[in-house]
Amino acid sequence: MTTPSTSLLERLSNVPVIPVLEYHSVEEALHVSEALVSGGLPWLEITLRTPVALEAIRAVAKALPQAVVGAGTVLNAGQLHAVRDAGAQFAVSPGLTQTLADGARDAGVSLLPGVATASEAMFALENGFTFLKFFPAEAAGGVPMLKSLYGPLAQLKFCPTGGIDAAKAPTYLALPNVVCVGGSWVVPKDAVAGKDWARIRSLAQEAAKLKA
């Protein structure tokens, strides 16, 4: 049976890093996204933390058909419908509620829900989610926590996000229950401010070489 997360998991192959993005203009979104995709990171999580987020999702999805555009910081069912209509192919949430789980089914959106504890992971599993965001990764126990979860919940796969950088990513990716990691280190704020798209592309190329 296809669950709300298996379809997402099946599509995510050979992509070790999902950039977590906070765009402040459509122009910025297009330049940064193009640099990331051309650097080998086609999966993009555009967070709903700025007023232009939905417009950015729509613009990037249209301009870069080779990208797999997703929406992050999704908190309710209404946002699931909004990001789907904007062109997002998946959604990421910091946590999971019953309303959000039901909303993902109704909207037909692949949802990557966040969990931080065994109980939250079990709740997600009860709702058919087997691919989860472990968030906030470093604050919630990091690699030792994921190792501990593997024993009783080996059927679950994770995308740890929160406090992960280029140095920490390989340790996470070496875990048997980790598919990929989420992070913003590939898009440094000073590179965006300086419009140094080549630097972002280079960081994406380095991240794309990491392998779970």
Side-chain angles (χ1 to χ4, degrees):
M1 181 181 70
T2 299
T3 69
S5 61
T6 53
S7 59
L8 179 64
L9 181 58
E10 288 164 359
R11 295 180 60 204
L12 185 60
S13 61
N14 299 318
V15 179
V17 179
I18 299 179
V20 179
L21 307 163
E22 185 175 308
Y23 289 141
H24 297 277
S25 72
V26 171
E27 180 185 10
E28 175 188 304
L30 290 172
H31 281 295
V32 173
S33 296
E34 193 281 329
L36 291 169
V37 173
S38 63
L41 298 180
W43 286 67
L44 310 173
E45 179 188 336
I46 301 176
T47 62
L48 301 184
R49 298 176 186 173
T50 66
V52 303
L54 283 175
E55 190 179 355
I57 290 171
R58 189 175 294 107
V60 172
K62 182 178 180 180
L64 299 172
Q66 68 273 40
V68 182
V69 181
T73 322
V74 174
L75 305 178
N76 57 61
Q79 289 178 328
L80 284 168
H81 287 271
V83 301
R84 178 203 63 191
D85 294 344
Q89 297 185 48
F90 68 99
V92 185
S93 61
L96 182 64
T97 65
Q98 191 63 60
T99 301
L100 194 61
D102 294 339
R105 296 186 187 90
D106 293 340
V109 176
S110 292
L111 177 65
L112 181 61
V115 302
T117 68
S119 293
E120 292 172 3
M122 290 170 64
F123 173 75
L125 184 59
E126 286 181 354
N127 276 278
F129 294 92
T130 56
F131 182 31
L132 310 173
K133 171 183 176 178
F134 180 58
F135 175 83
E138 285 289 287
V143 169
M145 180 64 170
L146 284 167
K147 286 181 177 180
S148 297
L149 289 174
Y150 183 65
L153 296 167
Q155 68 270 55
L156 296 179
K157 299 295 183 181
F158 294 92
C159 175
T161 304
I164 299 175
D165 55 23
K168 296 172 183 173
T171 306
Y172 279 95
L173 291 168
L175 298 176
N177 53 346
V178 169
V179 174
C180 59
V181 299
S184 58
W185 81 86
V186 289
V187 186
K189 291 183 179 180
D190 60 336
V192 176
K195 298 184 178 182
D196 191 349
W197 318 130
R199 180 184 171 197
I200 293 173
R201 185 179 299 109
S202 178
L203 288 170
Q205 291 171 336
E206 292 174 10
K209 293 176 183 177
L210 300 171
K211 180 64 177 159

